[in-house]
Amino acid sequence: MGAILRNSAATTLVVMFSICGRYSVKAADRVDKPKLSPDVEAALASISTNGLVEHTRILSSDPFEGRAPGTPGEDRTIEYLVQQFKTLGLQPGNPDGTYIQSVPLAGFTSSSTIALTAGGKPLDLAVPKDCVAWSRRLTSKVSVKDSDMVFVGYGIVAPEYQWDDYKGVDVRGKTIVMLVNDPAVPDPTHPSKLDEKLFKGRAMTYYGRWTYKYEIATAKGAAAAMIVHETGPAGYPWIVVIGSNTRENMDLRVPDRNMSRVAVEGWLALETAKKLFAASGQDFELMKQRALRRDFRPIPLHAKASFGVENTMRDVDSRNMVAKLEGTDSKLRNEYVIYTAHWDHLGKNPKLAGDQIYNGALDNASGTAALLELAKAFTKARPKRTMLFLSVTAEEKGLLGAKYYAAHPLYPFERTLANINIDGMNVWGRTRDIGIIGWGQTTLEDDLAPFARAEGRLLRPEAEPEKGYYYRSDHFEFARKGVPALYVDKGIDFIGKPADFGKQKREEYIANDYHKVSDEMKADWDLSGAVDDLRLLFQVGYGVAQGQRWPEWRRGSEFKALRKVQAEVKGP
């Protein structure tokens, strides 16, 4: 057993966890609740299960067709959000007088052929059962022929960890094969644990994300980049890889139409990778072990890869939705706190037999419903600073709506105090805890702690830091601009439930519903815990919008230096 202690002015939080990663929260003494003003009491009371259920039910209903960008489902979603913002009396958030920020996207559907030869013999492959590939180059045809294949370990260049998987080896024009996630380096003094000094131990860093791996492949001039899928380190099963990459995907429309990007991106199923390595005269498990060392060097696979990709493309004019509640203080109203939740999901797949609609009830109709409930609450208790409620597009396509806002902010980041992001609510009941995704990143945790403590609840690190959730939702694009971002996790210590109930529900959702047509409202949903969480998120946002102290990144955060740049822009 190990312990994490975090001190704040309000309380000491004690979280115990086992080396296998299952957390349990020690009982906390309830502290006296702070006296709240009548308007704040009214705001908290206005957040209700009825509101969450109704918004979620409508947004995840079949007429909304899974809310994919560039479809009639988007039009219905935008119409609904505009109607709700107007009903709440919120001002248009775009300075042009509308609730809409246009987001220029390009949709592309890739069909691919993949041929791998190893040891002079072709591998027997089926797409997408064994491998998937696509191209983000916005052109009709992309081909890579007889490209030498090279295993580059985890494909990481991380100077702060003195780690370079390439060692100056030229991979231009080659197909690189990479492992998913970060190197799981054992602690030299406690081999049963991971080394916390390297890639944050069990917690994933951005180097472990597939987005980084394709970015570094581009920077290195590779012709193609293939990631080896493993369910545990990836955080989702192979069926999710297939579902996410065999339908229309999207990217922002940029001047070079992504022609500077690596030509082909893709994944190899684990058994496919093992066959490839064996046919190349290499042992996959042994190569994985070698990749855990700083002295690893790229290993030629004595294999060649050929890819043919055909893209069907269309321009998509999608929309971020933004509403504003102006602050009450004449000076501070030009400073901002932003709540975000993505409205989009995966749309429809006409190739499916039976149900073809990815309704996305938990992901993320519930989060969009939560955003509306928070907006309603703030209309009953307006703080000094201005509140922005931003519902972004194309999160499921790669955080594209948030990425566009970050590149084209409607309000200056140097005057934006914080981002509080919501992506899927707790639908399984009340908990004694609330998780922090990206534990230890910002002082927003200290802002949240006393409100949780007053309800007899504790903060804890996210249950699955190895899955890299801090890099997988919209707040990440704000963090990359230096704005302190809070992203909470569902609790795992459920009141009145067995100890393993939370873990069980998470695993059931990932296995049965995540990014599947079965993500629909369930008869056994209990949103009382979601209401508890939202009331905490209201209070932390309200406190920041009222307070004198700006949230900060903690020492050691990779985003701290970016905030310093924003402070220099803002000036004294």
Side-chain angles (χ1 to χ4, degrees):
M1 301 291 286
I4 293 177
L5 303 180
R6 181 178 299 293
N7 295 317
S8 73
T11 185
T12 298
L13 308 180
V14 183
V15 182
M16 302 296 292
F17 63 96
S18 72
I19 59 172
C20 65
R22 290 182 58 190
Y23 293 85
S24 61
V25 181
K26 296 180 69 176
D29 294 329
R30 186 187 298 270
V31 299
D32 291 336
K33 289 186 179 181
K35 187 175 181 180
L36 303 176
S37 63
D39 58 343
V40 170
E41 291 276 16
L44 294 174
S46 74
I47 299 171
S48 70
T49 56
N50 288 341
L52 285 173
V53 167
E54 184 64 8
H55 291 312
T56 303
R57 182 188 66 78
I58 292 171
L59 288 165
S60 64
S61 64
D62 283 355
F64 282 69
E65 298 184 350
R67 306 185 308 283
T71 69
E74 169 170 359
D75 296 335
R76 294 186 181 97
T77 303
I78 299 307
E79 181 181 356
Y80 183 78
L81 292 175
V82 168
Q83 172 194 338
Q84 295 304 311
F85 289 154
K86 288 182 176 179
T87 299
L88 292 171
L90 298 175
Q91 298 176 28
N94 193 322
D96 70 3
T98 71
Y99 294 100
I100 292 170
Q101 181 186 37
S102 296
V103 180
L105 301 175
F108 61 96
T109 304
S110 295
S111 61
S112 62
T113 57
I114 304 172
L116 305 181
T117 60
K121 297 180 180 180
L123 267 65
D124 184 19
L125 298 175
V127 177
K129 183 176 74 72
D130 300 316
C131 48
V132 293
W134 61 90
S135 179
R136 287 186 176 269
R137 292 187 175 183
L138 300 177
T139 185
S140 58
K141 291 186 178 182
V142 175
S143 66
V144 172
K145 294 184 178 181
D146 294 329
S147 171
D148 290 334
M149 302 188 76
V150 181
F151 176 57
V152 295
Y154 288 86
I156 292 171
V157 178
E160 67 272 35
Y161 298 119
Q162 298 84 52
W163 196 281
D164 181 357
D165 280 328
Y166 293 89
K167 303 291 193 304
V169 174
D170 188 356
V171 296
R172 286 177 294 178
K174 298 179 181 179
T175 294
I176 59 176
V177 178
M178 296 175 279
L179 300 172
V180 71
N181 212 310
D182 299 312
V185 181
D187 188 321
T189 58
H190 299 283
S192 61
K193 298 181 180 180
L194 297 184
D195 190 345
E196 296 288 339
K197 297 178 182 178
L198 282 174
F199 302 100
K200 298 184 180 180
R202 181 167 161 251
M204 183 191 288
T205 71
Y206 187 57
Y207 295 115
R209 285 289 289 146
W210 55 265
T211 47
Y212 167 82
K213 294 178 189 290
Y214 297 137
E215 288 167 3
I216 193 68
T218 297
K220 292 292 183 180
M226 303 297 286
I227 301 173
V228 177
H229 176 268
E230 294 186 76
T231 297
Y236 36 78
W238 180 251
I239 189 66
V240 173
V241 175
I242 293 175
S244 297
N245 297 296
T246 56
R247 63 168 64 90
E248 182 181 56
N249 277 297
M250 293 184 177
D251 211 335
L252 295 177
R253 292 205 301 268
V254 292
D256 80 338
R257 305 289 286 182
N258 281 342
M259 295 305 290
S260 59
R261 192 172 174 108
V262 60
V264 175
E265 304 169 17
W267 291 80
L268 296 173
L270 178 59
E271 292 306 314
T272 304
K274 289 180 177 179
K275 288 194 297 183
L276 170 66
F277 277 61
S280 301
Q282 302 286 358
D283 180 271
F284 177 76
E285 295 299 333
L286 179 60
M287 293 301 100
K288 276 185 65 176
Q289 289 301 311
R290 287 190 185 178
L292 296 178
R293 297 170 55 95
R294 276 197 177 99
D295 60 1
F296 169 85
R297 292 183 61 83
I299 299 171
L301 287 178
H302 305 294
K304 291 185 179 293
S306 295
F307 303 90
V309 180
E310 294 190 3
N311 280 336
T312 302
M313 296 171 294
R314 65 185 179 118
D315 287 348
V316 176
D317 295 316
S318 193
R319 290 153 284 188
N320 288 335
M321 302 301 298
V322 58
K324 179 174 73 171
L325 185 70
E326 193 166 61
T328 59
D329 186 281
S330 60
K331 293 182 179 179
L332 296 181
R333 69 173 50 137
N334 292 319
E335 297 175 351
Y336 310 94
V337 175
I338 303 179
Y339 284 90
T340 50
H342 71 92
W343 59 256
D344 68 296
H345 197 57
L346 303 180
K348 296 174 61 177
N349 184 353
K351 297 178 182 178
L352 295 179
D355 190 358
Q356 298 178 341
I357 298 175
Y358 294 83
N359 300 84
L362 194 152
D363 180 20
N364 189 35
S366 70
T368 306
L371 187 76
L372 293 172
E373 285 294 288
L374 283 167
K376 177 179 67 177
F378 274 99
T379 64
K380 301 181 183 304
R382 288 174 59 192
K384 295 176 182 178
R385 292 182 174 89
T386 294
M387 309 303 299
L388 300 173
F389 304 95
L390 177 61
S391 188
V392 293
T393 183
E395 189 270 356
E396 301 290 3
K397 304 299 185 183
L399 318 182
L400 299 181
K403 185 176 182 179
Y404 187 82
Y405 184 93
H408 306 87
L410 299 176
Y411 301 89
F413 282 134
E414 62 268 22
R415 296 206 299 269
T416 301
L417 279 74
N419 168 236
I420 300 172
N421 185 52
I422 306 163
D423 194 348
M425 297 301 297
N426 170 18
V427 298
W428 303 308
R430 305 185 73 185
T431 62
R432 298 178 183 88
D433 60 333
I434 184 168
I436 303 294
I437 295 176
W439 174 267
Q441 285 278 12
T442 82
T443 59
L444 286 163
E445 295 168 24
D446 290 342
D447 296 325
L448 178 63
F451 300 116
R453 191 76 170 183
E455 299 299 328
R457 303 179 70 190
L458 283 176
L459 308 190
R460 60 156 179 81
E462 60 194 292
E464 300 169 296
E466 68 277 9
K467 293 185 178 179
Y469 287 117
Y470 200 75
Y471 311 100
R472 289 170 58 175
S473 195
D474 297 301
H475 64 282
F476 177 55
E477 296 298 338
F478 289 84
R480 293 178 82 169
K481 293 296 184 179
V483 176
L486 178 67
Y487 182 28
V488 301
D489 196 11
K490 305 170 186 65
I492 57 173
D493 186 10
F494 282 79
I495 297 171
K497 303 293 185 182
D500 64 347
F501 178 81
K503 180 175 183 289
Q504 173 192 331
K505 299 304 288 187
R506 284 173 177 272
E507 291 176 351
E508 287 178 357
Y509 175 72
I510 292 296
N512 300 329
D513 296 326
Y514 177 63
H515 282 195
K516 298 183 178 68
V517 296
S518 55
D519 186 2
E520 300 176 323
M521 291 193 70
K522 305 290 195 292
D524 64 347
W525 275 16
D526 176 357
L527 279 84
S528 58
V531 169
D532 290 345
D533 292 350
L534 280 181
R535 288 173 177 167
L536 293 182
L537 292 184
F538 171 87
Q539 290 180 89
V540 69
Y542 185 85
V544 170
Q546 286 284 89
Q548 295 182 352
R549 181 180 62 80
W550 283 46
E552 298 175 356
W553 294 103
R554 292 197 181 282
R555 183 178 179 181
S557 169
E558 60 264 50
F559 307 108
K560 188 175 180 64
L562 300 173
R563 191 53 161 180
K564 183 179 179 182
V565 173
Q566 293 290 355
E568 291 171 352
V569 173
K570 177 174 178 280

